Amino acid sequence: MTRLMLGRTLERICKAVLLLCLVHFVIMMILYFDVYSQRFDQIFSRFNNGRNASRNGHHYYYNLSRPNATFASYLATADQLLPSVRPEGNHTPPTAKPIPPCPEIPPGLVGRLLIEFASQMTMERVQKENPNVTEGGKYTPPDCRAKQKVAIIIPFRHRDNHLKYWLHYLHPILRRQKIDYAIYIITQLGEDTFNRAKLLNVGYTEALKDAEYDCFIFSDVDLIPMDDRNLYHCYDQPRHFAIAMDKFGFRLPYAGYFGGVSGLSKKQFLKINGFPNEYWGWGGEDDDIYNRITLNGMKVVRPDVRIGRYRMIKHERDKHNEPNPQRFNKIQNTKNTMKRDGISTLTYRVLQFKKYPLYTNISVEIGKPPPRPFRG
C-alpha cells in the first residue's frame, strides 16, 4: 500500500515538472518571436526607406558575404549595415580611421628560425613568396605606421646565388618585423680590388636620392639572421646586429668587432663622417668604423647573444678581395683620417640605377686603389 502511494506521488511530481517546463518553453518562444518580429520590422522598414531613397537618387550597396558571417550576426549588426537616410544637405563623408603606430614588439614574430641553403632557390620563387613587396624591393606595413623608414644597403659583386637566399629569408622577416623598408644592392663594376666601405657610402648617398630615410642597415649578402626578434631598425646608439656568427662558434670574436650587419641612423652616420673610402681589399674597415663611433662619444649596442645569431653562406674568398696588408696601420690612425676620409670626400660614378621586383640595383664605378708602396 505504501509503495503504491509513493509511486502515485512521484508520478504527480513528474507531471508537474513537465507541465512547468512546457509553460516555460511556450513563454520563451513567445518572447523569442516577439523580439525577432520587431527586428524584422525594423529591417524591412529601413529597406523600404532605402528603396524609396534610391528612387530619389540614393543608392546603397552592402557586402553580406563577409567571412564567418551568420544570419544572426547580420541581424545584430543591422543598425550598422543599414544607415538611416538623411537629407543630402546634412550628409558628411566618413573620416578615415588613423593608422596606429606599429608595436615595439610585433605580435607576428616567431623567434628562432631554421636556416638552410641546400634547397634550390630562384628569383621567381622568391617573388611568388613575397607578393606584397613592391618594385625596387620596397614594403610598407599596411596595418600600422612604422616609426622609421629603413634603407638596407648591401655591397655586392658576383654573389647572385647568395642574393637569392638573402632575399628569400629577409623579406618575410622584415615584413613580420613591421619594417617600412627598401633594399639597395650596390654593385661594384669591373674587377679591381673590392671596397666594401666605399660601396656602403655610395648606398647611403643614392638611397637618399630615391627616398627620405631615417635609418640605414648595412649588411653583407652572405649573412642570414637566425631569429626574427633581432629587429632591423635603428636605436639610440649605433647597432651591431651580427654578434654571434656560426663561423665564430656563435661568439663575438673580439670586443671591438663591428662587421657583418650594422645599423646607424642618419644623424649617427653623419656624425662619424660616414665610412672610410680607403680600405681596399678584405678587412679593417669595420674596425675603423668602430673607432669612429667611440671617438665621437657614442657606443655600440648589441642584441642578446641568443637573438643575434647568424648563419653564413659558405663560399671561397672572392678574387680581387684579398686581405688588405695596410689595414692595421690604417686602423691605428682613424682619429687623424676620419675627418678627411668619409662621406664628405666620396667620389663615384653611377652607370645603372634599376628597380627590380625584389630590390633596387645600383651599379657603380668607384675607382682603383692607389699603388702600394714599394718595399725595397
Side-chain angles (χ1 to χ4, degrees), residues 237-238 240 254-259 262 264 268-269 271-276 279 283-300 302 326-339 341:
Q237 297 288 335
H240 182 216
Y254 53 92
Y257 183 65
F258 198 67
S262 58
L264 292 90
Q268 294 163 358
F269 187 87
K271 189 173 183 178
I272 66 172
N273 191 26
F275 299 158
Y279 281 81
E285 80 288 344
D286 48 354
D287 295 317
D288 190 295
I289 297 167
Y290 183 90
N291 290 343
R292 290 174 181 237
I293 291 169
T294 56
L295 289 169
N296 280 279
M298 296 183 289
K299 65 177 182 179
V300 172
R302 297 183 170 102
Q326 302 175 356
R327 63 187 185 278
F328 299 110
N329 292 331
K330 288 181 175 295
I331 292 168
Q332 295 175 0
N333 291 297
T334 303
K335 186 175 182 180
N336 300 322
T337 59
M338 64 181 180
K339 291 185 179 179
D341 176 23

Side-chain angles (χ1 to χ4, degrees), residues 43-262:
I43 292 173
F44 286 116
S45 64
R46 293 189 178 184
F47 177 73
N48 290 331
N49 290 337
R51 291 182 62 186
N52 293 334
S54 65
R55 293 169 185 168
N56 295 326
H58 302 282
H59 301 275
Y60 299 96
Y61 299 91
Y62 307 103
N63 180 11
L64 303 182
S65 59
R66 295 171 292 151
N68 304 322
T70 62
F71 186 66
S73 64
Y74 165 70
L75 292 175
T77 57
D79 290 338
Q80 288 75 28
L81 289 175
L82 298 174
S84 302
V85 178
R86 298 177 182 175
E88 190 164 340
N90 296 331
H91 177 70
T92 56
T95 56
K97 187 177 180 180
I99 300 177
C102 294
E104 289 291 330
I105 306 297
L109 301 179
V110 299
R112 187 68 62 84
L113 305 170
L114 176 63
I115 307 298
E116 59 86 20
F117 308 116
S119 60
Q120 187 71 23
M121 193 59 57
T122 64
M123 282 295 184
E124 291 76 15
R125 172 182 169 182
V126 180
Q127 190 172 348
K128 289 179 181 179
E129 294 170 343
N130 300 278
N132 296 327
V133 175
T134 59
E135 186 182 42
K138 297 184 177 183
Y139 175 80
T140 300
D143 55 349
C144 65
R145 185 179 68 257
K147 66 177 181 179
Q148 297 174 355
K149 193 172 181 65
V150 180
I152 300 175
I153 313 295
I154 297 179
F156 188 84
R157 187 170 66 180
H158 305 325
R159 294 285 194 89
D160 298 279
N161 194 49
H162 293 180
L163 180 59
K164 296 172 189 176
Y165 284 107
W166 193 95
L167 295 169
H168 165 70
Y169 285 112
L170 266 295
H171 271 306
I173 290 174
L174 295 168
R175 294 203 318 272
R176 290 197 300 270
Q177 292 182 352
K178 302 294 185 182
I179 305 295
D180 185 346
Y181 69 90
I183 294 171
Y184 295 89
I185 308 299
I186 314 303
T187 302
Q188 179 177 336
L189 295 175
E191 298 299 327
D192 288 309
T193 305
F194 196 68
N195 191 325
R196 176 180 181 270
K198 190 170 185 178
L199 291 173
L200 296 178
N201 279 340
V202 172
Y204 169 88
T205 304
E206 290 299 316
L208 284 175
K209 293 178 182 178
D210 189 42
E212 187 61 37
Y213 293 101
D214 314 296
C215 173
F216 299 84
I217 306 294
F218 305 96
S219 174
D220 290 345
V221 73
D222 56 1
L223 287 175
I224 311 297
M226 299 177 66
D227 197 308
D228 62 2
R229 293 172 294 179
N230 195 0
L231 302 178
Y232 272 37
H233 60 73
C234 289
Y235 296 76
D236 293 336
Q237 297 288 335
R239 183 81 164 183
H240 182 216
F241 295 93
I243 69 168
M245 299 184 199
D246 56 353
K247 77 167 186 175
F248 296 134
F250 296 110
R251 295 183 178 90
L252 191 69
Y254 53 92
Y257 183 65
F258 198 67
V261 185
S262 58

Side-chain angles (χ1 to χ4, degrees), residues 5-57:
M5 293 178 63
L6 181 61
R8 290 179 178 178
T9 302
L10 291 174
E11 183 181 359
R12 291 172 183 172
I13 293 173
C14 291
K15 289 181 177 179
V17 171
L18 289 174
L19 182 61
L20 286 174
C21 291
L22 181 61
V23 172
H24 177 75
F25 176 76
V26 171
I27 293 173
M28 290 300 298
M29 290 300 295
I30 292 173
L31 293 175
Y32 179 84
F33 284 112
D34 182 62
V35 169
Y36 274 87
S37 64
Q38 294 178 16
R39 179 67 69 178
F40 276 112
D41 289 342
Q42 293 176 4
I43 292 173
F44 286 116
S45 64
R46 293 189 178 184
F47 177 73
N48 290 331
N49 290 337
R51 291 182 62 186
N52 293 334
S54 65
R55 293 169 185 168
N56 295 326

